Amino acid sequence: MRFSIFHNLGAPGRLGEYADVMDEAREFAVTADRAGFWSTWYTEHHFGHEAIEITPNPVLMGADIAARTEHIRIGQAASIATFWHPLRLAEDIAMLDQLSGGRVEVGLGRGLYGREALNLNALADPRDQEQNRALYDETVEVLRKAWSGEFFSHQGRFYEFPAPGVKWNHPLSPATAEYTDAGVITKMQVTPFPLQRPHPPLWQVIDSPRSIKSAAADGVQGLFWLPPVSALKDRFELYRDTASQASGREYALGEGIGLVRDVYVADTMEQARAEFEEALMTTYRWIMHWRGLSNLMEAGEELTDAHELSFDFLQGRNLLVGTPEYVSEKIAELRDEVGLEHLLLWTTHPGLPHRNAMRSLELFAEKVMPRFTTGGGHG
């Protein structure tokens, strides 16, 4: 089993100490690298004056972490593809892959918050889900073309590359049929292209049947977060069946899927809750305001007015919070019930003291990981 870090930086009341927050994130990543974690993933959020989500650029964050680590892979969970110009995102991720020695995992998302989308790319407005999906799909299509290393052109609903009618005449770049016609540019090449060929592994944050089927059919790996084990089964099976049919080979249950879980390890169950609850609930109160509780229902369970967000409500559904023994049992359940192969730990919830996050990470590495890995976790 692979173990990774999901790091959504949050620091309520500490925006003026951003450099200190970055130092803490660096220490967390370097420690995870030395402990044998497989990868570390950074989020993309904008305009977060509340300081609950304060990483606007996971690619740039990844470059900093890659320079300070040796083995751990660098992911985005996710780069919001609909907010980026596709050629700029292609260039930046390719640069990161080159700078990191081919350690990039490309995580992509469509975007959730209107205040982000409407101030970065109005076409990504989440109130128009069909247009948002179409923009996402076209952006991924352009990324793949750009990473090919070949000269390419693209004409779609949102983008046309190269721009029509651009003339080219330079003695150090002689016009050829490969990319010009009668002195006009007809194709283009993005440089650099990634070190990993044909491109770094692709991941998408998914949950709905439509997104699951689309990712699996397109050979894109999936990232999940919220649902309880019972509700994950159908999702994992749908991904497996779709990927198997699309690829022409049998996928194992859990193959190609990463699961984010809120994880905190302490010496006692009581200590784990006392130290983690406030920070954890800050995240859930923030996100569930938009998402609601429907993704936290057990299989076959209907959401009712009786359901209320609380630590006790979550603990029985999707938390890995407690002693090393308890957390190990919950991981074993995920492995046995849904074939989980890749777990991403989310410990750094907003407001959690850095020393506590570090202690939980160390306990997990020392007392939980060895039960599920052999020969180190960088594989």
Side-chain angles (χ1 to χ4, degrees):
M1 181 176 284
R2 286 174 171 168
F3 294 101
S4 295
I5 301 300
F6 174 85
H7 205 144
N8 183 9
L9 274 71
R14 298 183 64 199
L15 275 181
E17 305 170 12
Y18 201 90
D20 295 333
V21 176
M22 291 297 99
D23 283 341
E24 293 170 0
R26 291 169 181 137
E27 184 182 10
F28 201 83
V30 169
T31 301
D33 181 41
R34 292 172 179 168
F37 281 81
W38 185 70
S39 60
T40 183
W41 303 70
Y42 298 95
T43 59
E44 177 179 347
H45 286 289
H46 301 270
F47 322 125
H49 66 270
E50 304 88 357
I52 293 174
E53 296 168 317
I54 53 174
T55 313
N57 190 324
V59 179
L60 191 58
M61 185 75 192
D64 182 271
I65 297 302
R68 300 166 191 273
T69 55
E70 295 182 13
H71 304 289
I72 200 165
R73 296 185 65 79
I74 309 295
Q76 308 92 47
S79 286
I80 306 305
T82 57
F83 295 173
W84 289 71
H85 188 287
L87 298 182
R88 173 67 76 182
L89 184 57
E91 290 175 338
D92 285 3
I93 288 177
M95 276 289 292
L96 178 58
D97 201 46
Q98 292 285 348
L99 290 169
S100 67
R103 286 191 276 152
V104 170
E105 300 285 320
V106 180
L108 301 171
R110 296 191 295 114
L112 173 66
Y113 303 149
R115 77 170 177 185
E116 296 182 345
L118 293 171
N119 287 292
L120 291 168
N121 184 0
L123 294 172
D125 187 343
R127 294 171 299 183
D128 187 340
Q129 280 290 296
E130 290 306 311
Q131 179 168 287
N132 180 283
R133 287 179 183 274
L135 177 62
Y136 175 86
D137 290 343
E138 186 171 338
T139 299
V140 175
E141 181 183 352
V142 174
L143 290 176
R144 283 179 154 146
K145 289 180 177 180
W147 287 331
S148 70
E150 305 294 331
F151 284 96
F152 74 94
S153 61
H154 174 84
Q155 188 164 2
R157 172 179 169 184
F158 303 101
Y159 299 107
E160 182 177 359
F161 304 122
V166 177
K167 295 182 179 181
W168 189 249
N169 180 18
H170 195 289
L172 296 183
S173 177
T176 71
E178 195 170 29
Y179 69 98
T180 61
D181 182 14
V184 175
I185 295 175
T186 56
K187 290 188 177 181
M188 62 191 302
Q189 184 183 58
V190 169
T191 57
F193 42 83
L195 185 60
Q196 298 178 85
R197 308 302 299 142
H199 54 71
L202 294 179
W203 299 75
Q204 183 182 351
V205 179
I206 55 177
D207 183 74
S208 69
R210 180 175 176 179
S211 292
I212 293 168
K213 292 176 70 174
S214 176
D218 204 26
V220 176
Q221 298 169 97
L223 292 171
F224 292 88
W225 172 35
L226 290 170
V229 176
S230 65
L232 286 174
K233 287 183 178 179
D234 285 347
R235 291 168 167 86
F236 277 44
E237 290 171 354
L238 179 60
Y239 184 95
R240 177 199 61 193
D241 295 346
T242 307
S244 297
Q245 183 176 4
S247 67
R249 70 170 181 85
E250 286 300 315
Y251 269 59
L253 186 65
E255 181 181 353
I257 293 174
L259 176 66
V260 177
R261 278 294 193 245
D262 309 293
V263 178
Y264 192 82
V265 186
D267 294 324
T268 69
M269 297 294 292
E270 294 76 16
Q271 180 188 1
R273 176 169 182 167
E275 293 178 353
F276 196 52
E277 181 173 2
E278 181 179 355
L280 175 78
M281 294 311 297
T282 295
T283 290
Y284 272 85
R285 292 187 185 105
W286 176 259
I287 294 177
M288 294 306 118
H289 175 80
W290 287 282
R291 290 180 179 265
L293 300 181
S294 59
N295 274 13
L296 290 161
M297 296 296 103
E298 300 282 358
E301 182 182 16
E302 294 292 330
L303 178 63
T304 70
D305 292 339
H307 290 105
E308 293 185 0
L309 181 63
S310 68
F311 184 90
D312 290 322
F313 170 81
L314 295 171
Q315 178 74 323
R317 294 168 186 266
N318 69 349
L319 301 186
L320 278 63
V321 178
T323 63
E325 292 73 22
Y326 176 82
V327 171
S328 296
E329 290 173 3
K330 301 300 286 185
I331 294 173
E333 179 186 15
L334 287 164
R335 179 196 60 196
D336 298 342
E337 292 295 322
V338 296
L340 185 66
E341 297 180 353
H342 187 185
L343 178 68
L344 288 74
L345 286 64
W346 187 359
T347 297
T348 51
H349 285 272
L352 182 70
H354 177 60
R355 65 182 182 278
N356 291 358
M358 290 297 297
R359 179 58 180 156
S360 174
L361 180 66
E362 291 162 2
L363 282 172
F364 189 94
E366 294 170 4
K367 298 188 176 183
V368 178
M369 276 178 64
R371 305 183 188 203
F372 299 93
T373 59
T374 57
H378 290 302

